[in-house]
Amino acid sequence: MMDADKALELLKSGATLLLLDVPQYTLIGIDTQVFSVGPAFKGIKMIPPGVHFVFYSSSTRDGKEFSPITGFFIDAGYSQVVVRMWDQQEERLIKVPEEEEERYRQAVRSFEFDKHLGPYDLSLYADWKRLSNYVTKSTIERLEPIGGEITVTYEHGMLKNTYKSAMERVLDEQLRNSKFSSPAEKHPKRGCYYTPIPRIIKRKGIESEQLTSLNLDKTELLETLLVKDYGGSEESLLGELQFAFIAFLMGQSLEAFMQWKSLVSLLLGCTEAPFQTRSQLFTKFIKVIYYQLKYGLQKDRSVGEAGTSALLDDSWFSSDSFLHCFCKDFFSLVQDASVVDGDLLSWTRKLKELLENSLGWEFQQKSAVDGIYFEENDEYAPVVEMLDEPSGSEPTTS
């Protein structure tokens, strides 16, 4: 139980999201939390400063059917008050004029709205931090669409020429089919500014064997993208990976799912980088997707009809999915590596166990011995190398 002094401290230092005139039964979410709007609801208080994802879905008057989700990222400052008002005609949250906003901010700071604000559940904050720890203000500014709103409604026609598996075509149809959806031509096509990731590398003037090699091992492509698009920052790439996953899982954006898939495929498609120049990046990467999948596959997480749980159920991770194929190859790489970073090995084990236990996947190895669990004196086991500068704390089973 939180004591009164601690609650008052959080009330003063935390950010507030003031949401005015939102119709009853609307679903309002922030990070991993969802509220169903009641007659007295006017927002959320005691929000820890930092990056957050706000999303919402309007409903019919009986609260039984919901519109496609719309979401946006915010970078909440210390004691900041973010004000949005419901536009009845467009059925969305909009910003208010600056003078009006300042008046509402003062009212919030004077606790005039306090009894109408639901508290941010700090017991769920750790989950959110694990999903968003690489997303920064600059990540948001670099990737967010014009206007900041992320919704599948704005993505009509964007992915027409994009290769999609049978599963992804079903997802496309599932996300777009809604009784709420107005004709797509009414909405501008506003997408996020994601980094283009080539699915197939094409290059003139090189031998076919070398071209095949470039497509089998994406290390060179990764290095090029890191320099050209991410300013040499591994954290910037991981931030985009997390941004896309959040926009997909909470915001139901198909474009975001395709970007998440592209980045995961790129990294899991590297055969040289994980064991040489980029071992710390790959340890962080495996840790990121471990927490993403662990959260996304939770069985008891449900947020109603417009909820996200339907988007990341077991059917999207069948044994012929891209993720299974890439993970199987990556686990084999770790098995066969002569030298492997200790943290990378630990997190790879955790990811493999998660996929086996949550999805029932089996990863066939080339030998009778499971490649990432070795006998103490196994002469074929890779050398486990502990770096001087640790890339992350030793994982613990939760």
Side-chain angles (χ1 to χ4, degrees):
M1 188 75 178
M2 191 183 301
D3 62 51
D5 290 342
K6 180 65 175 173
L8 186 61
E9 180 190 332
L10 282 168
L11 198 58
K12 289 180 177 178
S13 65
T16 301
L17 182 62
L18 184 65
L19 306 171
L20 301 165
D21 301 333
V22 181
Q24 195 167 344
Y25 303 122
T26 301
L27 290 181
I28 297 284
I30 181 167
D31 306 339
T32 62
Q33 305 170 39
V34 178
F35 301 79
S36 180
V37 172
F41 180 88
K42 292 190 186 301
I44 304 157
K45 61 184 176 181
M46 300 164 69
I47 301 168
V51 167
H52 298 278
F53 187 69
V54 180
F55 55 100
Y56 59 92
S57 173
S58 58
S59 78
T60 50
R61 289 185 179 180
D62 57 7
K64 291 182 178 177
E65 293 178 12
F66 293 86
S67 69
I69 283 177
T70 297
F72 55 92
F73 283 89
I74 60 171
D75 180 33
Y78 182 92
S79 300
Q80 183 179 353
V81 178
V82 178
V83 184
R84 295 288 188 276
M85 183 173 285
W86 189 259
D87 184 306
Q88 296 288 357
Q89 285 207 314
E90 295 194 20
E91 294 192 332
R92 68 187 186 95
L93 291 169
I94 60 171
K95 294 180 179 180
V96 299
E98 180 61 39
E99 312 79 35
E100 217 176 315
E101 187 173 32
E102 185 54 40
R103 185 163 53 83
Y104 283 123
R105 284 174 182 158
Q106 291 303 327
V108 167
R109 288 169 183 148
S110 302
F111 302 111
E112 290 177 34
F113 287 100
D114 197 56
K115 65 180 180 181
H116 300 290
L117 301 173
Y120 186 100
D121 188 345
L122 289 169
S123 70
L124 302 175
Y125 185 53
D127 274 343
W128 171 247
K129 285 301 290 180
R130 283 191 283 263
L131 294 175
S132 64
N133 58 313
Y134 291 108
V135 181
T136 63
K137 184 178 181 179
S138 63
T139 308
I140 298 167
E141 290 172 346
R142 183 168 61 88
L143 300 175
E144 70 178 353
I146 295 169
E149 289 185 334
I150 299 170
T151 173
V152 72
T153 312
Y154 292 164
E155 296 172 11
H156 174 71
M158 277 183 187
L159 305 170
K160 278 184 178 176
N161 300 320
T162 304
Y163 171 80
K164 291 193 283 284
S165 68
M167 280 294 204
E168 288 153 12
R169 287 193 293 272
V170 173
L171 175 60
D172 192 358
E173 188 176 344
Q174 176 185 330
L175 287 173
R176 296 182 198 286
N177 284 347
S178 167
K179 294 176 184 178
F180 270 76
S181 295
S182 53
E185 58 269 17
K186 285 188 178 181
H187 296 281
K189 296 173 186 176
R190 290 188 203 143
C192 291
Y193 292 91
Y194 293 123
T195 304
I197 311 292
R199 196 168 66 88
I200 297 171
I201 301 170
K202 297 176 182 178
R203 193 177 297 173
K204 292 180 181 178
I206 65 170
E207 298 291 330
S208 58
E209 285 184 11
Q210 190 179 350
L211 191 60
T212 301
S213 176
L214 286 173
N215 279 284
L216 287 174
D217 178 9
K218 298 294 177 68
T219 296
E220 187 174 323
L221 174 60
L222 171 64
E223 294 295 340
T224 301
L225 289 169
L226 277 169
V227 172
K228 183 166 98 36
D229 296 288
Y230 296 104
S233 168
E234 297 177 351
E235 285 72 20
S236 183
L237 184 151
L238 295 172
E240 183 166 341
L241 179 70
Q242 290 184 329
F243 181 106
F245 183 81
I246 292 161
F248 162 61
L249 192 66
M250 283 75 170
Q252 296 192 346
S253 165
L254 178 62
E255 182 194 28
F257 172 76
M258 300 302 288
Q259 183 66 9
W260 180 78
K261 175 186 173 183
S262 293
L263 286 166
V264 170
S265 301
L266 166 69
L267 286 155
L268 289 178
C270 294
T271 59
E272 182 181 312
F275 311 106
Q276 295 189 21
T277 56
R278 298 288 180 181
S279 62
Q280 291 191 47
L281 166 62
F282 277 81
T283 301
K284 293 172 186 174
F285 161 64
I286 294 296
K287 189 174 179 180
V288 164
I289 62 168
Y290 169 81
Y291 282 122
Q292 288 178 339
L293 296 174
K294 183 181 179 183
Y295 177 77
L297 294 169
Q298 284 174 16
K299 302 297 183 190
D300 59 348
R301 184 176 54 79
S302 177
V303 294
E305 289 291 325
T308 56
S309 55
L311 288 180
L312 204 66
D313 60 19
D314 296 0
S315 65
W316 296 110
F317 296 100
S318 61
S319 58
D320 62 349
S321 73
F322 88 96
L323 189 62
H324 182 276
C325 297
F326 275 107
C327 281
K328 180 181 176 181
D329 290 345
F330 188 82
F331 296 157
S332 293
L333 270 179
V334 175
Q335 168 193 345
D336 296 339
S338 57
V339 178
V340 60
D341 170 47
D343 280 342
L344 177 59
L345 179 63
S346 297
W347 282 102
T348 303
R349 284 174 176 166
K350 280 179 71 74
L351 178 61
K352 181 172 181 288
E353 287 171 358
L354 174 70
L355 295 174
E356 288 172 339
N357 296 335
S358 298
L359 299 172
W361 283 359
E362 293 181 4
F363 297 98
Q364 297 293 327
Q365 301 294 337
K366 295 178 183 177
S367 66
V369 179
D370 184 337
I372 56 176
Y373 296 90
F374 304 102
E375 297 296 329
E376 190 175 347
N377 298 316
D378 185 354
E379 63 177 311
Y380 297 106
V383 176
V384 177
E385 183 181 83
M386 299 308 295
L387 301 180
D388 292 337
E389 184 179 313
S391 56
S393 58
E394 183 69 12
T396 56
T397 304
S398 56

